[in-house]
Amino acid sequence: MRKIVAGLFISLDGVVESPEKWHFPYYDEDMGRSVDTLMRRCEAMLLGRNTYETFASHWPHQSPDDPLATMMNGRAKYVVSSTLTDPAWQNTTVIAAGDVAALKEGPGGDLGMSGSPTLVVSLLREGLLDELHLLVHPVVVGSGQRLFEEGAGHIPLKLTKSETFGTGVLDLTYERA
């Protein structure tokens, strides 16, 4: 059975929105290694519609000499959406939320998630998310979408790995308790 593995940049106050505005001062070799390891272990991507649209507007237009662009563009992508009808980004399949469990049970390697916080929380609640990797940045953003909004419900987690980078970023891995 495949695992669903999510990775998110998050601030101390729980903000996951627009990390491009606050994340880069903390990016270093350790973080690059962590992100690269997580991305390379997954065979396909699982995305929510908003994250898909952001990625689809960027990655197909990057140089084929960029190894990250080549990986992102070539990898199979599954988008959970009830509104996206005609995905333009290569190797993209639109699925309904109810299809995620069957996708997880199907053949193939792990499914990686980058971003898609609403989908991440939904999959955690449903018991479908196997690992949650949080790169906790030592910054208070003050506003923006938080990973766990009011009403997210009770979701018990177990810390399975932790590392502190020289920038003060915490690399934390959780599984359902």
Side-chain angles (χ1 to χ4, degrees):
M1 177 170 59
R2 299 170 129 175
K3 284 186 174 183
I4 299 178
V5 179
L8 293 163
F9 300 134
I10 187 166
S11 68
L12 280 178
D13 56 341
V15 174
V16 291
E17 183 178 359
S18 302
E20 71 280 0
K21 295 178 182 176
W22 48 265
H23 148 78
F24 287 108
Y26 303 96
Y27 190 88
D28 66 358
E29 187 176 301
D30 290 331
M31 186 182 294
R33 183 186 70 253
S34 176
V35 170
D36 186 64
T37 298
L38 188 60
M39 290 186 73
R40 291 194 184 283
R41 83 174 251 207
C42 296
E43 178 179 287
M45 296 168 57
L46 181 63
L47 303 165
R49 184 188 51 80
N50 290 334
T51 300
Y52 167 80
E53 289 177 347
T54 299
F55 285 5
S57 70
H58 176 77
W59 290 110
H61 309 290
Q62 302 310 299
S63 169
D65 296 332
D66 178 347
L68 183 56
T70 299
M71 182 172 57
M72 297 288 280
N73 291 326
R75 192 165 273 173
K77 293 165 274 296
Y78 298 93
V79 182
V80 178
S81 177
S82 61
T83 58
L84 184 66
T85 56
D86 189 25
W89 195 10
Q90 67 190 52
N91 304 319
T92 298
T93 303
V94 177
I95 64 172
D99 296 334
V100 174
L103 180 64
K104 183 177 174 175
E105 294 292 330
D110 292 346
L111 299 164
M113 298 180 68
S114 179
S116 304
T118 303
L119 182 58
V120 165
V121 173
S122 173
L123 295 177
L124 269 172
R125 267 197 312 266
E126 296 170 27
L128 293 172
L129 188 72
D130 297 288
E131 293 178 22
L132 176 60
H133 295 258
L134 298 177
L135 288 166
V136 183
H137 292 58
V139 62
V140 173
V141 177
S143 65
Q145 180 184 3
R146 285 168 167 68
L147 180 55
F148 298 106
E149 299 284 357
E150 182 82 22
H154 181 79
I155 305 170
L157 301 173
K158 170 178 61 172
L159 181 67
T160 59
K161 180 184 169 213
S162 65
E163 182 179 357
T164 303
F165 300 154
T167 59
V169 170
L170 298 175
D171 185 357
L172 306 174
T173 302
Y174 292 93
E175 295 176 358
R176 291 260 329 195

mmCIF file with all atom_site columns, all heavy atoms in Angstrom, residues 93-121:
data_model
loop_
_atom_site.group_PDB
_atom_site.id
_atom_site.type_symbol
_atom_site.label_atom_id
_atom_site.label_alt_id
_atom_site.label_comp_id
_atom_site.label_asym_id
_atom_site.label_entity_id
_atom_site.label_seq_id
_atom_site.pdbx_PDB_ins_code
_atom_site.Cartn_x
_atom_site.Cartn_y
_atom_site.Cartn_z
_atom_site.occupancy
_atom_site.B_iso_or_equiv
_atom_site.pdbx_formal_charge
_atom_site.auth_seq_id
_atom_site.auth_comp_id
_atom_site.auth_asym_id
_atom_site.auth_atom_id
_atom_site.pdbx_PDB_model_num
ATOM 1   N N   . THR A 1 93  ? -4.030  14.052 -13.435 1.00 0.00 ? 93  THR A N   1
ATOM 2   C CA  . THR A 1 93  ? -5.328  13.395 -13.382 1.00 0.00 ? 93  THR A CA  1
ATOM 3   C C   . THR A 1 93  ? -6.141  14.051 -12.281 1.00 0.00 ? 93  THR A C   1
ATOM 4   O O   . THR A 1 93  ? -5.643  14.219 -11.163 1.00 0.00 ? 93  THR A O   1
ATOM 5   C CB  . THR A 1 93  ? -5.175  11.887 -13.072 1.00 0.00 ? 93  THR A CB  1
ATOM 6   O OG1 . THR A 1 93  ? -4.335  11.298 -14.062 1.00 0.00 ? 93  THR A OG1 1
ATOM 7   C CG2 . THR A 1 93  ? -6.518  11.188 -13.041 1.00 0.00 ? 93  THR A CG2 1
ATOM 8   N N   . VAL A 1 94  ? -7.377  14.420 -12.575 1.00 0.00 ? 94  VAL A N   1
ATOM 9   C CA  . VAL A 1 94  ? -8.265  15.003 -11.568 1.00 0.00 ? 94  VAL A CA  1
ATOM 10  C C   . VAL A 1 94  ? -9.046  13.860 -10.928 1.00 0.00 ? 94  VAL A C   1
ATOM 11  O O   . VAL A 1 94  ? -9.589  12.996 -11.627 1.00 0.00 ? 94  VAL A O   1
ATOM 12  C CB  . VAL A 1 94  ? -9.227  16.031 -12.201 1.00 0.00 ? 94  VAL A CB  1
ATOM 13  C CG1 . VAL A 1 94  ? -10.186 16.581 -11.153 1.00 0.00 ? 94  VAL A CG1 1
ATOM 14  C CG2 . VAL A 1 94  ? -8.447  17.156 -12.863 1.00 0.00 ? 94  VAL A CG2 1
ATOM 15  N N   . ILE A 1 95  ? -9.088  13.877 -9.581  1.00 0.00 ? 95  ILE A N   1
ATOM 16  C CA  . ILE A 1 95  ? -9.844  12.868 -8.850  1.00 0.00 ? 95  ILE A CA  1
ATOM 17  C C   . ILE A 1 95  ? -10.766 13.558 -7.847  1.00 0.00 ? 95  ILE A C   1
ATOM 18  O O   . ILE A 1 95  ? -10.522 14.693 -7.451  1.00 0.00 ? 95  ILE A O   1
ATOM 19  C CB  . ILE A 1 95  ? -8.929  11.849 -8.135  1.00 0.00 ? 95  ILE A CB  1
ATOM 20  C CG1 . ILE A 1 95  ? -8.075  12.526 -7.058  1.00 0.00 ? 95  ILE A CG1 1
ATOM 21  C CG2 . ILE A 1 95  ? -8.057  11.100 -9.131  1.00 0.00 ? 95  ILE A CG2 1
ATOM 22  C CD1 . ILE A 1 95  ? -7.289  11.550 -6.183  1.00 0.00 ? 95  ILE A CD1 1
ATOM 23  N N   . ALA A 1 96  ? -11.793 12.845 -7.441  1.00 0.00 ? 96  ALA A N   1
ATOM 24  C CA  . ALA A 1 96  ? -12.700 13.344 -6.405  1.00 0.00 ? 96  ALA A CA  1
ATOM 25  C C   . ALA A 1 96  ? -12.108 13.011 -5.032  1.00 0.00 ? 96  ALA A C   1
ATOM 26  O O   . ALA A 1 96  ? -11.307 12.078 -4.899  1.00 0.00 ? 96  ALA A O   1
ATOM 27  C CB  . ALA A 1 96  ? -14.075 12.696 -6.553  1.00 0.00 ? 96  ALA A CB  1
ATOM 28  N N   . ALA A 1 97  ? -12.530 13.751 -4.017  1.00 0.00 ? 97  ALA A N   1
ATOM 29  C CA  . ALA A 1 97  ? -12.035 13.507 -2.657  1.00 0.00 ? 97  ALA A CA  1
ATOM 30  C C   . ALA A 1 97  ? -12.271 12.060 -2.237  1.00 0.00 ? 97  ALA A C   1
ATOM 31  O O   . ALA A 1 97  ? -11.424 11.453 -1.572  1.00 0.00 ? 97  ALA A O   1
ATOM 32  C CB  . ALA A 1 97  ? -12.706 14.472 -1.683  1.00 0.00 ? 97  ALA A CB  1
ATOM 33  N N   . GLY A 1 98  ? -13.365 11.498 -2.653  1.00 0.00 ? 98  GLY A N   1
ATOM 34  C CA  . GLY A 1 98  ? -13.691 10.118 -2.298  1.00 0.00 ? 98  GLY A CA  1
ATOM 35  C C   . GLY A 1 98  ? -12.810 9.074  -2.967  1.00 0.00 ? 98  GLY A C   1
ATOM 36  O O   . GLY A 1 98  ? -12.859 7.899  -2.601  1.00 0.00 ? 98  GLY A O   1
ATOM 37  N N   . ASP A 1 99  ? -12.001 9.480  -3.930  1.00 0.00 ? 99  ASP A N   1
ATOM 38  C CA  . ASP A 1 99  ? -11.125 8.550  -4.651  1.00 0.00 ? 99  ASP A CA  1
ATOM 39  C C   . ASP A 1 99  ? -9.739  8.415  -4.018  1.00 0.00 ? 99  ASP A C   1
ATOM 40  O O   . ASP A 1 99  ? -8.944  7.578  -4.446  1.00 0.00 ? 99  ASP A O   1
ATOM 41  C CB  . ASP A 1 99  ? -10.951 8.997  -6.103  1.00 0.00 ? 99  ASP A CB  1
ATOM 42  C CG  . ASP A 1 99  ? -12.251 8.966  -6.892  1.00 0.00 ? 99  ASP A CG  1
ATOM 43  O OD1 . ASP A 1 99  ? -13.153 8.173  -6.533  1.00 0.00 ? 99  ASP A OD1 1
ATOM 44  O OD2 . ASP A 1 99  ? -12.364 9.744  -7.864  1.00 0.00 ? 99  ASP A OD2 1
ATOM 45  N N   . VAL A 1 100 ? -9.437  9.230  -3.023  1.00 0.00 ? 100 VAL A N   1
ATOM 46  C CA  . VAL A 1 100 ? -8.091  9.232  -2.443  1.00 0.00 ? 100 VAL A CA  1
ATOM 47  C C   . VAL A 1 100 ? -7.769  7.888  -1.789  1.00 0.00 ? 100 VAL A C   1
ATOM 48  O O   . VAL A 1 100 ? -6.667  7.353  -1.946  1.00 0.00 ? 100 VAL A O   1
ATOM 49  C CB  . VAL A 1 100 ? -7.894  10.397 -1.459  1.00 0.00 ? 100 VAL A CB  1
ATOM 50  C CG1 . VAL A 1 100 ? -6.549  10.305 -0.754  1.00 0.00 ? 100 VAL A CG1 1
ATOM 51  C CG2 . VAL A 1 100 ? -8.020  11.729 -2.192  1.00 0.00 ? 100 VAL A CG2 1
ATOM 52  N N   . ALA A 1 101 ? -8.713  7.311  -1.057  1.00 0.00 ? 101 ALA A N   1
ATOM 53  C CA  . ALA A 1 101 ? -8.459  6.030  -0.387  1.00 0.00 ? 101 ALA A CA  1
ATOM 54  C C   . ALA A 1 101 ? -8.124  4.946  -1.404  1.00 0.00 ? 101 ALA A C   1
ATOM 55  O O   . ALA A 1 101 ? -7.194  4.163  -1.201  1.00 0.00 ? 101 ALA A O   1
ATOM 56  C CB  . ALA A 1 101 ? -9.655  5.629  0.472   1.00 0.00 ? 101 ALA A CB  1
ATOM 57  N N   . ALA A 1 102 ? -8.848  4.901  -2.513  1.00 0.00 ? 102 ALA A N   1
ATOM 58  C CA  . ALA A 1 102 ? -8.573  3.903  -3.551  1.00 0.00 ? 102 ALA A CA  1
ATOM 59  C C   . ALA A 1 102 ? -7.221  4.152  -4.204  1.00 0.00 ? 102 ALA A C   1
ATOM 60  O O   . ALA A 1 102 ? -6.490  3.200  -4.508  1.00 0.00 ? 102 ALA A O   1
ATOM 61  C CB  . ALA A 1 102 ? -9.683  3.921  -4.604  1.00 0.00 ? 102 ALA A CB  1
ATOM 62  N N   . LEU A 1 103 ? -6.872  5.416  -4.416  1.00 0.00 ? 103 LEU A N   1
ATOM 63  C CA  . LEU A 1 103 ? -5.568  5.756  -4.987  1.00 0.00 ? 103 LEU A CA  1
ATOM 64  C C   . LEU A 1 103 ? -4.457  5.272  -4.056  1.00 0.00 ? 103 LEU A C   1
ATOM 65  O O   . LEU A 1 103 ? -3.461  4.700  -4.498  1.00 0.00 ? 103 LEU A O   1
ATOM 66  C CB  . LEU A 1 103 ? -5.466  7.271  -5.203  1.00 0.00 ? 103 LEU A CB  1
ATOM 67  C CG  . LEU A 1 103 ? -4.173  7.786  -5.795  1.00 0.00 ? 103 LEU A CG  1
ATOM 68  C CD1 . LEU A 1 103 ? -3.959  7.267  -7.208  1.00 0.00 ? 103 LEU A CD1 1
ATOM 69  C CD2 . LEU A 1 103 ? -4.174  9.320  -5.792  1.00 0.00 ? 103 LEU A CD2 1
ATOM 70  N N   . LYS A 1 104 ? -4.648  5.459  -2.773  1.00 0.00 ? 104 LYS A N   1
ATOM 71  C CA  . LYS A 1 104 ? -3.662  5.030  -1.777  1.00 0.00 ? 104 LYS A CA  1
ATOM 72  C C   . LYS A 1 104 ? -3.524  3.505  -1.774  1.00 0.00 ? 104 LYS A C   1
ATOM 73  O O   . LYS A 1 104 ? -2.428  2.974  -1.606  1.00 0.00 ? 104 LYS A O   1
ATOM 74  C CB  . LYS A 1 104 ? -4.086  5.534  -0.394  1.00 0.00 ? 104 LYS A CB  1
ATOM 75  C CG  . LYS A 1 104 ? -3.116  5.202  0.688   1.00 0.00 ? 104 LYS A CG  1
ATOM 76  C CD  . LYS A 1 104 ? -3.558  5.786  2.016   1.00 0.00 ? 104 LYS A CD  1
ATOM 77  C CE  . LYS A 1 104 ? -2.626  5.302  3.105   1.00 0.00 ? 104 LYS A CE  1
ATOM 78  N NZ  . LYS A 1 104 ? -2.892  5.882  4.383   1.00 0.00 ? 104 LYS A NZ  1
ATOM 79  N N   . GLU A 1 105 ? -4.608  2.808  -1.955  1.00 0.00 ? 105 GLU A N   1
ATOM 80  C CA  . GLU A 1 105 ? -4.598  1.342  -1.951  1.00 0.00 ? 105 GLU A CA  1
ATOM 81  C C   . GLU A 1 105 ? -4.039  0.757  -3.243  1.00 0.00 ? 105 GLU A C   1
ATOM 82  O O   . GLU A 1 105 ? -3.671  -0.411 -3.282  1.00 0.00 ? 105 GLU A O   1
ATOM 83  C CB  . GLU A 1 105 ? -6.023  0.809  -1.741  1.00 0.00 ? 105 GLU A CB  1
ATOM 84  C CG  . GLU A 1 105 ? -6.605  1.121  -0.394  1.00 0.00 ? 105 GLU A CG  1
ATOM 85  C CD  . GLU A 1 105 ? -5.921  0.383  0.740   1.00 0.00 ? 105 GLU A CD  1
ATOM 86  O OE1 . GLU A 1 105 ? -5.419  -0.740 0.530   1.00 0.00 ? 105 GLU A OE1 1
ATOM 87  O OE2 . GLU A 1 105 ? -5.865  0.940  1.849   1.00 0.00 ? 105 GLU A OE2 1
ATOM 88  N N   . GLY A 1 106 ? -3.955  1.577  -4.284  1.00 0.00 ? 106 GLY A N   1
ATOM 89  C CA  . GLY A 1 106 ? -3.508  1.095  -5.584  1.00 0.00 ? 106 GLY A CA  1
ATOM 90  C C   . GLY A 1 106 ? -2.021  0.838  -5.643  1.00 0.00 ? 106 GLY A C   1
ATOM 91  O O   . GLY A 1 106 ? -1.280  1.085  -4.688  1.00 0.00 ? 106 GLY A O   1
ATOM 92  N N   . PRO A 1 107 ? -1.567  0.366  -6.797  1.00 0.00 ? 107 PRO A N   1
ATOM 93  C CA  . PRO A 1 107 ? -0.141  0.066  -6.966  1.00 0.00 ? 107 PRO A CA  1
ATOM 94  C C   . PRO A 1 107 ? 0.678   1.346  -7.116  1.00 0.00 ? 107 PRO A C   1
ATOM 95  O O   . PRO A 1 107 ? 0.151   2.399  -7.468  1.00 0.00 ? 107 PRO A O   1
ATOM 96  C CB  . PRO A 1 107 ? -0.114  -0.735 -8.274  1.00 0.00 ? 107 PRO A CB  1
ATOM 97  C CG  . PRO A 1 107 ? -1.304  -0.236 -9.036  1.00 0.00 ? 107 PRO A CG  1
ATOM 98  C CD  . PRO A 1 107 ? -2.345  0.079  -7.995  1.00 0.00 ? 107 PRO A CD  1
ATOM 99  N N   . GLY A 1 108 ? 1.958   1.212  -6.829  1.00 0.00 ? 108 GLY A N   1
ATOM 100 C CA  . GLY A 1 108 ? 2.856   2.341  -7.026  1.00 0.00 ? 108 GLY A CA  1
ATOM 101 C C   . GLY A 1 108 ? 3.515   2.781  -5.744  1.00 0.00 ? 108 GLY A C   1
ATOM 102 O O   . GLY A 1 108 ? 3.238   2.267  -4.657  1.00 0.00 ? 108 GLY A O   1
ATOM 103 N N   . GLY A 1 109 ? 4.391   3.777  -5.889  1.00 0.00 ? 109 GLY A N   1
ATOM 104 C CA  . GLY A 1 109 ? 5.137   4.310  -4.754  1.00 0.00 ? 109 GLY A CA  1
ATOM 105 C C   . GLY A 1 109 ? 4.338   5.355  -4.002  1.00 0.00 ? 109 GLY A C   1
ATOM 106 O O   . GLY A 1 109 ? 3.183   5.650  -4.314  1.00 0.00 ? 109 GLY A O   1
ATOM 107 N N   . ASP A 1 110 ? 4.989   5.930  -3.024  1.00 0.00 ? 110 ASP A N   1
ATOM 108 C CA  . ASP A 1 110 ? 4.344   6.909  -2.152  1.00 0.00 ? 110 ASP A CA  1
ATOM 109 C C   . ASP A 1 110 ? 3.844   8.130  -2.919  1.00 0.00 ? 110 ASP A C   1
ATOM 110 O O   . ASP A 1 110 ? 4.381   8.499  -3.964  1.00 0.00 ? 110 ASP A O   1
ATOM 111 C CB  . ASP A 1 110 ? 5.313   7.366  -1.061  1.00 0.00 ? 110 ASP A CB  1
ATOM 112 C CG  . ASP A 1 110 ? 5.627   6.258  -0.072  1.00 0.00 ? 110 ASP A CG  1
ATOM 113 O OD1 . ASP A 1 110 ? 4.921   5.236  -0.052  1.00 0.00 ? 110 ASP A OD1 1
ATOM 114 O OD2 . ASP A 1 110 ? 6.596   6.430  0.695   1.00 0.00 ? 110 ASP A OD2 1
ATOM 115 N N   . LEU A 1 111 ? 2.816   8.758  -2.353  1.00 0.00 ? 111 LEU A N   1
ATOM 116 C CA  . LEU A 1 111 ? 2.231   9.984  -2.892  1.00 0.00 ? 111 LEU A CA  1
ATOM 117 C C   . LEU A 1 111 ? 2.698   11.144 -2.023  1.00 0.00 ? 111 LEU A C   1
ATOM 118 O O   . LEU A 1 111 ? 2.496   11.130 -0.808  1.00 0.00 ? 111 LEU A O   1
ATOM 119 C CB  . LEU A 1 111 ? 0.699   9.902  -2.855  1.00 0.00 ? 111 LEU A CB  1
ATOM 120 C CG  . LEU A 1 111 ? 0.087   8.766  -3.676  1.00 0.00 ? 111 LEU A CG  1
ATOM 121 C CD1 . LEU A 1 111 ? -1.359  8.540  -3.268  1.00 0.00 ? 111 LEU A CD1 1
ATOM 122 C CD2 . LEU A 1 111 ? 0.190   9.087  -5.157  1.00 0.00 ? 111 LEU A CD2 1
ATOM 123 N N   . GLY A 1 112 ? 3.323   12.134 -2.644  1.00 0.00 ? 112 GLY A N   1
ATOM 124 C CA  . GLY A 1 112 ? 3.839   13.276 -1.914  1.00 0.00 ? 112 GLY A CA  1
ATOM 125 C C   . GLY A 1 112 ? 2.948   14.490 -2.064  1.00 0.00 ? 112 GLY A C   1
ATOM 126 O O   . GLY A 1 112 ? 2.399   14.744 -3.126  1.00 0.00 ? 112 GLY A O   1
ATOM 127 N N   . MET A 1 113 ? 2.818   15.223 -0.982  1.00 0.00 ? 113 MET A N   1
ATOM 128 C CA  . MET A 1 113 ? 2.033   16.458 -0.997  1.00 0.00 ? 113 MET A CA  1
ATOM 129 C C   . MET A 1 113 ? 2.941   17.602 -0.583  1.00 0.00 ? 113 MET A C   1
ATOM 130 O O   . MET A 1 113 ? 3.669   17.508 0.400   1.00 0.00 ? 113 MET A O   1
ATOM 131 C CB  . MET A 1 113 ? 0.867   16.366 -0.019  1.00 0.00 ? 113 MET A CB  1
ATOM 132 C CG  . MET A 1 113 ? -0.117  15.277 -0.330  1.00 0.00 ? 113 MET A CG  1
ATOM 133 S SD  . MET A 1 113 ? -1.467  15.243 0.870   1.00 0.00 ? 113 MET A SD  1
ATOM 134 C CE  . MET A 1 113 ? -2.296  16.781 0.472   1.00 0.00 ? 113 MET A CE  1
ATOM 135 N N   . SER A 1 114 ? 2.882   18.676 -1.336  1.00 0.00 ? 114 SER A N   1
ATOM 136 C CA  . SER A 1 114 ? 3.601   19.896 -0.993  1.00 0.00 ? 114 SER A CA  1
ATOM 137 C C   . SER A 1 114 ? 2.572   21.005 -1.019  1.00 0.00 ? 114 SER A C   1
ATOM 138 O O   . SER A 1 114 ? 1.935   21.242 -2.046  1.00 0.00 ? 114 SER A O   1
ATOM 139 C CB  . SER A 1 114 ? 4.704   20.153 -2.023  1.00 0.00 ? 114 SER A CB  1
ATOM 140 O OG  . SER A 1 114 ? 5.385   21.336 -1.724  1.00 0.00 ? 114 SER A OG  1
ATOM 141 N N   . GLY A 1 115 ? 2.382   21.666 0.106   1.00 0.00 ? 115 GLY A N   1
ATOM 142 C CA  . GLY A 1 115 ? 1.302   22.650 0.170   1.00 0.00 ? 115 GLY A CA  1
ATOM 143 C C   . GLY A 1 115 ? -0.022  21.936 0.368   1.00 0.00 ? 115 GLY A C   1
ATOM 144 O O   . GLY A 1 115 ? -0.088  20.901 1.017   1.00 0.00 ? 115 GLY A O   1
ATOM 145 N N   . SER A 1 116 ? -1.082  22.508 -0.195  1.00 0.00 ? 116 SER A N   1
ATOM 146 C CA  . SER A 1 116 ? -2.436  21.935 -0.096  1.00 0.00 ? 116 SER A CA  1
ATOM 147 C C   . SER A 1 116 ? -2.884  21.741 1.351   1.00 0.00 ? 116 SER A C   1
ATOM 148 O O   . SER A 1 116 ? -3.336  20.663 1.734   1.00 0.00 ? 116 SER A O   1
ATOM 149 C CB  . SER A 1 116 ? -2.521  20.618 -0.870  1.00 0.00 ? 116 SER A CB  1
ATOM 150 O OG  . SER A 1 116 ? -2.148  20.784 -2.213  1.00 0.00 ? 116 SER A OG  1
ATOM 151 N N   . PRO A 1 117 ? -2.790  22.792 2.185   1.00 0.00 ? 117 PRO A N   1
ATOM 152 C CA  . PRO A 1 117 ? -3.106  22.622 3.604   1.00 0.00 ? 117 PRO A CA  1
ATOM 153 C C   . PRO A 1 117 ? -4.534  22.172 3.893   1.00 0.00 ? 117 PRO A C   1
ATOM 154 O O   . PRO A 1 117 ? -4.751  21.395 4.838   1.00 0.00 ? 117 PRO A O   1
ATOM 155 C CB  . PRO A 1 117 ? -2.821  23.995 4.207   1.00 0.00 ? 117 PRO A CB  1
ATOM 156 C CG  . PRO A 1 117 ? -2.850  24.956 3.070   1.00 0.00 ? 117 PRO A CG  1
ATOM 157 C CD  . PRO A 1 117 ? -2.399  24.179 1.873   1.00 0.00 ? 117 PRO A CD  1
ATOM 158 N N   . THR A 1 118 ? -5.497  22.621 3.136   1.00 0.00 ? 118 THR A N   1
ATOM 159 C CA  . THR A 1 118 ? -6.884  22.200 3.375   1.00 0.00 ? 118 THR A CA  1
ATOM 160 C C   . THR A 1 118 ? -7.023  20.704 3.144   1.00 0.00 ? 118 THR A C   1
ATOM 161 O O   . THR A 1 118 ? -7.650  19.995 3.939   1.00 0.00 ? 118 THR A O   1
ATOM 162 C CB  . THR A 1 118 ? -7.850  22.987 2.465   1.00 0.00 ? 118 THR A CB  1
ATOM 163 O OG1 . THR A 1 118 ? -7.674  24.384 2.712   1.00 0.00 ? 118 THR A OG1 1
ATOM 164 C CG2 . THR A 1 118 ? -9.290  22.593 2.709   1.00 0.00 ? 118 THR A CG2 1
ATOM 165 N N   . LEU A 1 119 ? -6.408  20.209 2.081   1.00 0.00 ? 119 LEU A N   1
ATOM 166 C CA  . LEU A 1 119 ? -6.431  18.773 1.786   1.00 0.00 ? 119 LEU A CA  1
ATOM 167 C C   . LEU A 1 119 ? -5.654  17.995 2.839   1.00 0.00 ? 119 LEU A C   1
ATOM 168 O O   . LEU A 1 119 ? -6.092  16.927 3.272   1.00 0.00 ? 119 LEU A O   1
ATOM 169 C CB  . LEU A 1 119 ? -5.872  18.510 0.387   1.00 0.00 ? 119 LEU A CB  1
ATOM 170 C CG  . LEU A 1 119 ? -5.867  17.064 -0.086  1.00 0.00 ? 119 LEU A CG  1
ATOM 171 C CD1 . LEU A 1 119 ? -7.270  16.466 -0.087  1.00 0.00 ? 119 LEU A CD1 1
ATOM 172 C CD2 . LEU A 1 119 ? -5.237  16.984 -1.487  1.00 0.00 ? 119 LEU A CD2 1
ATOM 173 N N   . VAL A 1 120 ? -4.527  18.519 3.292   1.00 0.00 ? 120 VAL A N   1
ATOM 174 C CA  . VAL A 1 120 ? -3.732  17.854 4.326   1.00 0.00 ? 120 VAL A CA  1
ATOM 175 C C   . VAL A 1 120 ? -4.581  17.629 5.578   1.00 0.00 ? 120 VAL A C   1
ATOM 176 O O   . VAL A 1 120 ? -4.624  16.524 6.119   1.00 0.00 ? 120 VAL A O   1
ATOM 177 C CB  . VAL A 1 120 ? -2.458  18.676 4.667   1.00 0.00 ? 120 VAL A CB  1
ATOM 178 C CG1 . VAL A 1 120 ? -1.822  18.198 5.968   1.00 0.00 ? 120 VAL A CG1 1
ATOM 179 C CG2 . VAL A 1 120 ? -1.450  18.599 3.524   1.00 0.00 ? 120 VAL A CG2 1
ATOM 180 N N   . VAL A 1 121 ? -5.257  18.663 6.055   1.00 0.00 ? 121 VAL A N   1
ATOM 181 C CA  . VAL A 1 121 ? -6.073  18.539 7.262   1.00 0.00 ? 121 VAL A CA  1
ATOM 182 C C   . VAL A 1 121 ? -7.220  17.555 7.032   1.00 0.00 ? 121 VAL A C   1
ATOM 183 O O   . VAL A 1 121 ? -7.522  16.728 7.894   1.00 0.00 ? 121 VAL A O   1
ATOM 184 C CB  . VAL A 1 121 ? -6.582  19.920 7.741   1.00 0.00 ? 121 VAL A CB  1
ATOM 185 C CG1 . VAL A 1 121 ? -7.577  19.775 8.886   1.00 0.00 ? 121 VAL A CG1 1
ATOM 186 C CG2 . VAL A 1 121 ? -5.415  20.793 8.157   1.00 0.00 ? 121 VAL A CG2 1
#
